[in-house]
Amino acid sequence: MIYEPQLYAIKDKPMTPFISEREIEETLQRAVPSGEQVRAIIDKSLHKTRLSMQETAMLVNTTDPELVEEIKAGARRLKEQVYGKRIVLFAPLYVGNLCVNNCEYCGFRAANKDQKRTTLSRDELIREVESLEEMGQKRLILVYGEHPKYTPEFIADSVRTVYKVKKDNGEIRRVNINAAPLDIEGFRTVHEAGIGTYQVFQESYHRGAYARYHTGGVKKDYDWRISALDRAQEAGIDDVGIGALFGLYDWRFEVLGLIRHVNHLEAVYNVGPHTISFPRLQRASNVKYDPGWEMTDEEFTRMVAILRLAVPYTGLILTAREPAAIRDEILQFGVSQIDGGTKIEMKAYAEKEREQDLDAEQFAINDNRSLSEVMNELIGNDYLPSFCTACYRAGRTGEHFMEFSVPGFIKRYCTPNAMLTLAEYLEDYAHNGIREKGYRLIQKNLQELENDHFKARLEERLERVRQGERDLYF
Ligand code: SAM
Ligand code: SF4
């Protein structure tokens, strides 16, 4: 069967670095897959078992076009089986772009004097959130540079402000964070403000590559960053998001780095990451792009299929960095969350007519569709858009959430809650015929429910939404 070396057996300990380059490199070298092995690995994943690093390496090293197609077909099936047609929607909101670091790829880096620096005032933050609520958004990720001004108290305060903003029927029900690593006390402060997920991307799991791109500021310290989400766990944040920035180093290495990170969190905290992100390097203000490790579209789509198979129950996030065509393709085989109507220039949601300006944003995005356009396309392609935030509000997070992460759970909670939040969207924000299309999709999904008693309960709640009640969920 599949080769499982015990050579490296690094004993995972809390807050202790766990990446061994030798382990990852040798695992990749040793993985020479036969067709039979690749099929056995796909089959294992279709039985909803997480793959080992060795098995993931086998998929990563598969280049035979027929086998690659089988990997993608497997990912497509797994996604349908585990997640159904549901896609969760969110929007990023940049709170401040001051930064002390000099990450070479980022428009916000301290040395970039052309970047227009801003931190949203309380009123500006409120206006941005009102504009997002007017679009129909319910889930946000707040993004910050790394700067002494963005203390845990500052972050916590902005989270509380966002939760308080209510425009008409609008409200933000889940605030996630993408910000610099904090110490345990800092994570505790942010946790108390009621955040959903805390994301920190390792950027590159390879120490050498990491050192090349992070030459100054706090972010230089690889070990402080790799142990960030351990500290978040110690502080009680059990929904954490990991990620790698693809294009800095060999994508095969980074995929195994991500899987090793999943293993570490499972070994030490008994719960893997809630989500994995895989941004690809984009153009940015005054950034000289080095295409040395540029990932082709084909490699990128294949990589997402491999990740889907490797971690069947972990949410995969795809952002508007990618153009609409790639997003549409990748949705089929793996992604569970996308952003919609995204604007990443500071203050851009409230200032609706503003032109895109590379010197006022972190990097360029390639999908400029409005939320309404994204909704229209998702519904047209039979996907079930969801603004659901029920789990985290009902305490179904972390280890607890893992217990529920079985297919029955998605049927019992996620799909009905997707329908209820879609109905809210259709009532409050839909125009141009989306309302009718959306209700037809809800009807179709209702018909597919097998349990008549449950179906009746859901129909009753959908009717209550139509009558004006909001925020109903299972
Ligand atoms: N400053 C914090 C940090 O570095 O962790 C917050 C995150 S930063 C604002 C969000 C993420 O954007 C980074 O972690 C990085 O992966 C990604 N990013 C930076 N520059 C990028 C670029 N040129 N193209 C695509 N993604 C980029
Ligand atoms: Fe600052 Fe984050 Fe950009 Fe690095 S990636 S320069 S830390 S905002």
Side-chain angles (χ1 to χ4, degrees):
M1 230 339 251
I2 294 152
Y3 171 74
E4 296 274 352
Q6 300 301 318
L7 277 176
Y8 313 98
I10 296 174
K11 188 104 180 68
D12 285 77
K13 295 195 205 82
M15 294 178 287
T16 309
F18 47 86
I19 294 283
S20 152
E21 263 135 47
R22 195 173 140 225
E23 176 186 30
I24 294 182
E25 276 156 11
E26 292 189 8
T27 304
L28 281 168
Q29 273 161 22
R30 290 204 166 104
V32 185
S34 69
E36 201 186 327
Q37 280 171 320
V38 170
R39 288 186 193 107
I41 293 167
I42 297 173
D43 195 55
K44 177 174 172 189
S45 173
L46 286 172
H47 284 86
K48 303 179 192 86
T49 312
R50 209 165 70 55
L51 302 181
S52 65
M53 282 174 75
Q54 290 73 29
E55 290 160 337
T56 309
M58 294 275 196
L59 299 186
V60 160
N61 283 348
T62 300
T63 47
D64 175 83
E66 265 177 41
L67 288 173
V68 168
E69 270 319 301
E70 288 185 39
I71 289 174
K72 288 186 178 171
R76 221 175 272 133
R77 254 180 77 195
L78 187 72
K79 170 170 161 54
E80 295 251 350
Q81 279 175 17
V82 175
Y83 294 90
K85 297 288 268 181
R86 192 181 53 103
I87 300 282
V88 173
L89 285 151
F90 69 95
L93 170 55
Y94 279 72
V95 179
N97 66 0
L98 308 183
C99 196
V100 293
N101 293 326
N102 256 320
C103 312
E104 277 207 24
Y105 43 81
C106 177
F108 290 170
R109 74 197 180 285
N112 181 15
K113 300 299 174 214
D114 289 340
Q115 181 67 232
K116 297 169 185 130
R117 307 281 167 179
T118 329
T119 303
L120 298 183
S121 68
R122 205 182 138 78
D123 286 347
E124 285 166 342
L125 178 61
I126 292 172
R127 277 202 293 281
E128 287 291 285
V129 177
E130 283 176 346
S131 304
L132 285 154
E133 289 179 359
E134 281 169 359
M135 288 156 62
Q137 303 281 8
K138 297 281 186 280
R139 307 167 58 106
L140 298 186
I141 178 148
L142 303 188
V143 187
Y144 308 75
E146 181 157 5
H147 192 269
K149 189 166 176 173
Y150 307 145
T151 58
E153 291 72 25
F154 175 90
I155 296 175
D157 199 49
S158 51
V159 171
R160 287 196 195 93
T161 302
V162 170
Y163 279 131
K164 280 192 211 129
V165 178
K166 314 266 177 197
K167 185 83 202 286
D168 303 321
N169 276 342
E171 60 180 350
I172 300 303
R173 298 177 184 154
R174 179 172 176 132
V175 178
N176 298 331
I177 299 289
N178 186 322
L182 304 175
D183 60 18
I184 297 178
E185 206 40 56
F187 277 121
R188 213 169 271 137
T189 302
V190 174
H191 181 43
E192 280 159 12
I195 62 158
T197 311
Y198 200 105
Q199 290 183 347
V200 176
F201 302 158
Q202 186 57 31
E203 320 297 11
S204 175
Y205 283 92
H206 187 273
R207 275 180 193 271
Y210 189 91
R212 274 197 295 287
Y213 286 99
H214 306 101
T215 48
V218 197
K219 198 161 164 180
K220 212 163 84 177
D221 187 345
Y222 177 102
D223 292 344
W224 177 248
R225 198 162 177 94
I226 198 92
S227 53
L229 297 173
D230 285 34
R231 294 192 297 280
Q233 291 278 355
E234 299 281 337
I237 301 177
D238 53 8
D239 269 4
V240 298
I242 64 171
L245 180 54
F246 283 85
L248 300 184
Y249 189 59
D250 187 346
W251 68 270
R252 299 164 190 87
F253 186 99
E254 305 295 11
V255 168
L256 288 209
L258 287 167
I259 300 303
R260 184 66 186 84
H261 204 161
V262 174
N263 290 348
H264 170 76
L265 291 169
E266 282 187 354
V268 179
Y269 296 103
N270 209 16
V271 52
H274 188 64
T275 53
I276 298 183
S277 301
F278 31 85
R280 256 200 304 183
L281 211 54
Q282 305 297 326
R283 285 183 305 120
S285 160
N286 284 333
V287 165
K288 278 191 245 51
Y289 185 60
D290 167 15
W293 291 108
E294 192 173 10
M295 210 180 174
T296 65
D297 291 350
E298 191 282 323
E299 285 168 335
F300 188 63
T301 47
R302 177 151 50 101
M303 186 272 297
V304 178
I306 292 170
L307 274 179
R308 175 70 299 143
L309 291 172
V311 285
Y313 290 124
T314 308
L316 297 185
I317 301 183
L318 180 67
T319 68
R321 290 177 180 87
E322 298 298 332
I326 298 265
R327 299 235 281 179
D328 293 347
E329 185 186 348
I330 291 180
L331 278 187
Q332 304 166 45
F333 49 70
V335 168
S336 48
Q337 292 190 27
I338 60 170
D339 50 349
T342 293
K343 295 192 176 165
I344 64 169
E345 297 112 73
M346 303 294 304
K347 300 189 219 170
Y349 290 113
E351 295 170 12
K352 294 187 174 63
E353 302 306 322
R354 229 177 47 187
E355 291 287 304
Q356 214 179 327
D357 171 5
L358 206 56
D359 289 333
E361 60 187 5
Q362 195 191 4
F363 47 79
I365 59 167
N366 291 301
D367 184 347
N368 289 302
R369 291 175 294 180
S370 66
L371 179 61
S372 169
E373 285 169 312
V374 172
M375 291 295 283
N376 194 23
E377 284 197 36
L378 287 174
I379 294 170
N381 291 324
D382 239 13
Y383 286 109
L384 183 60
S386 175
F387 295 92
C388 178
T389 54
C391 273
Y392 124 90
R393 292 157 80 219
R396 299 190 294 255
T397 63
E399 196 183 339
H400 199 64
F401 178 80
M402 299 287 276
E403 285 163 33
F404 283 107
S405 294
V406 290
F409 174 85
I410 306 268
K411 277 206 186 106
R412 230 170 82 217
Y413 295 103
C414 306
T415 308
N417 287 337
M419 288 191 240
L420 286 164
T421 53
L422 173 59
E424 285 186 340
Y425 177 88
L426 298 176
E427 290 299 322
D428 293 337
Y429 308 103
H431 32 78
N432 301 338
I434 298 182
R435 194 170 186 279
E436 296 66 33
K437 266 166 77 174
Y439 271 117
R440 276 201 298 278
L441 182 72
I442 290 178
Q443 272 311 320
K444 185 167 168 246
N445 276 274
L446 272 172
Q447 276 157 19
E448 285 166 13
L449 291 179
E450 287 145 15
N451 179 331
D452 285 342
H453 174 64
F454 184 72
K455 186 170 158 186
R457 282 177 65 205
L458 174 57
E459 279 178 318
E460 184 256 337
R461 287 187 194 198
L462 283 166
E463 183 51 34
R464 280 164 58 195
V465 171
R466 239 167 284 169
Q467 298 304 322
E469 267 189 76
R470 294 291 172 267
D471 204 15
L472 301 175
Y473 58 83
F474 289 94

